[in-house]
Amino acid sequence: DTEVTQTPKHLVMGMTNKKSLKCEQHMGHRAMYWYKQKAKKPPELMFVYSYEKLSINESVPSRFSPECPNSSLLNLHLHALQPEDSALYLCASSRAGLADLTDTQYFGPGTRLTVL
Amino acid sequence: QKEVEQNSGPLSVPEGAIASLNCTYSDRVSQSFFWYRQYSGKSPELIMSIYSNGDKEDGRFTAQLNKASQYVSLLIRDSQPSDSATYLCAVNIPSVSGTYKYIFGTGTRLKVLA
């Protein structure tokens, strides 16, 4: 089973709202990722957690705040977003973490975010 | 210079033909390579990974890797209209901290014509 789940599937929010995206996996994977994908572009890495610790932050604005409460859960807290933040937000997980060059990432279905 | 390059397409092939998708990468240290398929509005789905020079086959898909030429390709035999999607090449690139992360190519849009 290589299932990563994400909720909600769709989210519409205003620029003053606070919302959260949730990602879950029960495969025992030790690395979890947040990506942002705009239309007709490849996924862009935002954050990586390895063994529940933030390992990579790709200079993401502070209006995006990741959280990894446990090894199965990953959240992305959103606050004061801009319309240009509208995109598909993808969560992924991988078995071994960042030190394994053969580690394969499995993606969840994504959350389609619209910021008004 | 882009780290991972793909022709954006669209690449149009007739049903039943072989579709050939190509990817080049700039970092000679890269050791692992992945092909993902992404339907419009959906998330990337892993097709296959390849780590060693040569060919790797899985059903109608064959990945080919040539590290000397820094080139990885994906062949789809007996292409079907359901194969119409964007194909993303991902390369696992080492960082200075000793960890790895994916770098994606821009993707090639494939159209299989019935």
Side-chain angles (χ1 to χ4, degrees), chain A residues 81-112:
Chain A
L81 295 193
Q82 304 297 310
E84 59 265 29
D85 296 321
S86 298
L88 180 66
Y89 287 83
L90 295 163
C91 174
S93 71
S94 64
R95 180 183 55 83
L98 298 177
D100 183 346
L101 67 87
T102 66
D103 210 19
T104 302
Q105 295 182 30
Y106 298 93
F107 286 83
T111 294
R112 176 73 57 188

Side-chain angles (χ1 to χ4, degrees), chain A residues 3-98:
Chain A
E3 188 178 21
V4 178
T5 60
Q6 289 187 245
T7 54
K9 290 185 179 179
H10 301 276
L11 178 63
V12 180
M13 61 186 290
M15 289 190 285
T16 59
N17 292 158
K18 286 186 181 181
K19 297 286 185 183
S20 297
L21 309 184
K22 180 180 173 181
C23 174
E24 197 163 3
Q25 56 88 13
H26 294 288
M27 298 176 281
H29 287 182
R30 304 317 305 263
M32 296 185 77
Y33 310 75
W34 280 116
Y35 287 86
K36 172 183 177 180
Q37 187 176 27
K38 303 281 272 186
K40 301 189 187 301
K41 298 290 186 183
E44 294 176 45
L45 183 63
M46 300 174 71
F47 302 104
V48 185
Y49 276 82
S50 180
Y51 292 86
E52 300 162 52
K53 292 186 178 178
L54 183 64
S55 296
I56 295 178
N57 177 340
E58 294 285 276
S59 302
V60 178
S62 60
R63 57 186 185 269
F64 296 93
S65 175
E67 178 196 20
C68 189
N70 59 56
S71 60
S72 300
L73 275 175
L74 184 66
N75 298 319
L76 186 62
H77 303 298
L78 314 172
H79 174 55
L81 295 193
Q82 304 297 310
E84 59 265 29
D85 296 321
S86 298
L88 180 66
Y89 287 83
L90 295 163
C91 174
S93 71
S94 64
R95 180 183 55 83
L98 298 177

